[in-house]
Amino acid sequence: MSASDDLYTTAVHAGRASVRALGKHAPPIDLSSTYPFDDMDAAARSLTELAHGAATAETPVYARLHNPTVARAEQAVAELEGATDTVAYASGMAAVTAVLMATRTLRNDSATPHVVAVRPIYGTTDHLLTSNLIGIDVSWANPDSIAEAMRPATALVMIETPANPTLDLVDIQAVVDQAGDVPVVVDSTFAPPVIQRPLEHGATLSLHSATKFLGGHGDVMGGVVSTSDADWAAALRHVRVATGALLHPHAAYLMHRSMPTLPARVERAQSTATALADRLQAHLAVQAVHFPGYDAAACYTRQMDGPGTLISFELGTYEAARAAVEAVSLITAAVSLGSTDTLIQHPASLTHGVVADDAKSDHGITPGLVRLSVGLEGADALWNDLEQALEACVVAA
């Protein structure tokens, strides 16, 4: 599958409506930390409005409250997501934290917010939910038992699809139906908005680590949350102002610069990923391949426009996985994903090393699981590297 012509066009022009009016072709970077004012009363009004979640005001006052470069990047993501608002943060985990903190400001009582979450989910998100760092009560549920896990204090349902690192798919619409009036947040980092738009399937919030596909070049940290719920958008901005988690303007510029190539990058990489998944599935050293394109569930074709660029595969033992990861030469052994180059890593010890052992074993994060993020290199060159790495894993086993 490929992105539609409309998405290609949107990706090129999103968030740039104000640029031509400025007499520019490339969006400028505003690095001001503070903004002078002539009218102190107007500045005071603006500060109060922005501090409580307004998207704009008469004057920005201070960069922690508002930055035009960040605002343009946010608008670009919102247009791709089909959302009215996007709020950008300094990292994906800052975005996750803001969502969880916002559940407190949106409730009208003093009860500890309750979150229903589905595993597997990104390891640090799992850790944040279970560590009680921000006073959230969490219940873990299977995708089909969310309704049973709900309580009067439930403020949020949190899922990730495709899931990190097993690439399990969760039916967004089915989760929304179970959640009822409770908002659903989807971590859609593995499926950027050119192939999945959770708001179209009833989710209230769509979250991405912008460090991945949206940045796309391994050189920017960021996180974004998109929504068409005005109360949520205001609450998310309120948390960002109060916690100082604003995305840096230079990072916003890099992210926005990468938007026009997002559909082409994803289309190219997922075509290669499909070819590699087929070859991995046929290799004797590989016990199982996890790839959304192999998922026969109806939700795949209903909520995704392509399989994405991530593959996970099972090599049986930690020793075999380590040997394969350490043997690559063209492929880069590193965490993260969605970059122009192909990355390989070992989830159980790295991205999900902070997750409890029983939670890992219960949800398919085995010692032999390896995760591959396919980049823009040639399929044959990548396969040659993988094949020799798999030979090293056979020797290790």
Side-chain angles (χ1 to χ4, degrees):
M1 300 181 188
S2 62
S4 70
D5 285 347
D6 286 346
L7 280 172
Y8 270 90
T9 301
T10 299
V12 170
H13 293 282
R16 294 169 186 262
S18 66
V19 176
R20 185 174 295 181
L22 295 172
K24 308 289 184 182
H25 180 246
I29 309 175
D30 187 328
L31 295 174
S32 297
S33 61
T34 192
Y35 296 89
F37 53 84
D38 297 319
D39 184 332
M40 195 166 70
D41 290 340
R45 286 193 302 271
S46 296
L47 190 149
T48 299
E49 292 166 4
L50 292 168
H52 288 87
T56 60
E58 293 172 79
T59 174
V61 184
Y62 187 55
R64 178 164 50 82
L65 305 175
H66 180 83
N67 176 274
T69 304
V70 174
R72 279 191 291 270
E74 290 174 330
Q75 180 61 33
V77 176
E79 290 179 37
L80 282 172
E81 288 275 20
T84 58
D85 291 277
T86 293
V87 185
Y89 298 87
S91 70
M93 283 312 304
V96 172
T97 302
V99 169
L100 295 174
M101 292 183 70
T103 60
R104 289 186 171 275
T105 66
L106 289 165
R107 289 188 65 85
N108 295 320
D109 57 50
S110 59
T112 298
H114 175 244
V115 175
V116 176
V118 174
R119 281 172 167 150
I121 201 165
Y122 175 52
T124 308
T125 302
D126 191 305
H127 176 67
L128 183 65
L129 287 167
T130 56
S131 63
N132 201 33
L133 280 171
I134 55 174
I136 296 292
D137 186 13
V138 62
S139 294
W140 297 100
N142 293 322
D144 58 357
S145 64
I146 287 170
E148 290 88 339
M150 305 288 280
R151 304 177 190 169
T154 302
L156 189 70
V157 175
M158 176 175 282
I159 64 172
E160 180 175 13
T161 184
N164 187 354
T166 61
L167 299 171
D168 294 346
L169 300 184
V170 181
D171 189 324
I172 298 170
Q173 185 64 62
V175 170
V176 169
D177 291 344
Q178 292 182 76
D181 293 335
V182 174
V184 174
V185 56
V186 179
D187 185 335
S188 191
T189 296
F190 276 25
V194 294
I195 57 174
Q196 181 170 276
R197 293 164 297 282
L199 272 59
E200 293 181 358
H201 305 283
T204 301
L205 305 163
S206 176
L207 184 150
H208 291 267
S209 170
T211 309
K212 281 60 174 188
F213 290 99
L214 299 182
H217 295 76
D219 57 4
V220 60
M221 294 281 288
V224 292
V225 185
S226 300
T227 185
S228 292
D229 185 306
D231 291 337
W232 265 100
L236 290 167
R237 286 190 287 264
H238 183 188
V239 171
R240 183 178 66 182
V241 169
T243 60
L246 181 75
L247 180 67
H248 191 275
H250 190 251
Y253 167 81
L254 290 173
M255 184 176 74
H256 199 182
R257 177 215 57 184
S258 299
M259 292 289 178
T261 63
L262 177 62
R265 285 187 282 112
V266 171
E267 187 170 338
R268 159 73 183 189
Q270 74 179 0
S271 175
T272 303
T274 301
L276 293 178
D278 291 344
R279 294 183 185 185
L280 284 166
Q281 198 167 44
H283 197 283
L284 293 177
V286 179
Q287 297 182 2
V289 176
H290 308 286
F291 183 58
Y294 294 157
D295 196 310
C299 71
Y300 167 60
T301 54
R302 186 168 64 250
Q303 70 190 31
M304 296 180 71
D305 295 326
T309 74
L310 276 294
I311 307 167
S312 289
F313 53 96
E314 179 62 61
L315 296 177
T317 66
Y318 170 75
E319 290 74 20
R322 182 179 65 183
V325 169
E326 292 180 352
V328 295
S329 55
L330 176 66
I331 297 168
T332 301
V335 299
S336 202
L337 57 112
S339 186
T340 53
D341 61 328
T342 299
L343 307 177
I344 193 169
Q345 67 105 359
H346 181 250
S349 62
L350 294 168
T351 55
H352 291 71
V354 294
V355 177
D357 288 342
D358 58 345
K360 283 188 283 197
S361 62
D362 288 348
H363 294 90
I365 308 172
T366 67
L369 189 71
V370 172
R371 193 189 77 190
L372 186 74
S373 171
V374 179
L376 304 182
E377 304 95 337
D380 288 341
L382 289 172
W383 177 247
N384 289 339
D385 195 26
L386 278 173
E387 192 172 36
Q388 64 83 25
L390 291 172
E391 291 304 315
C393 117
V394 170
V395 172

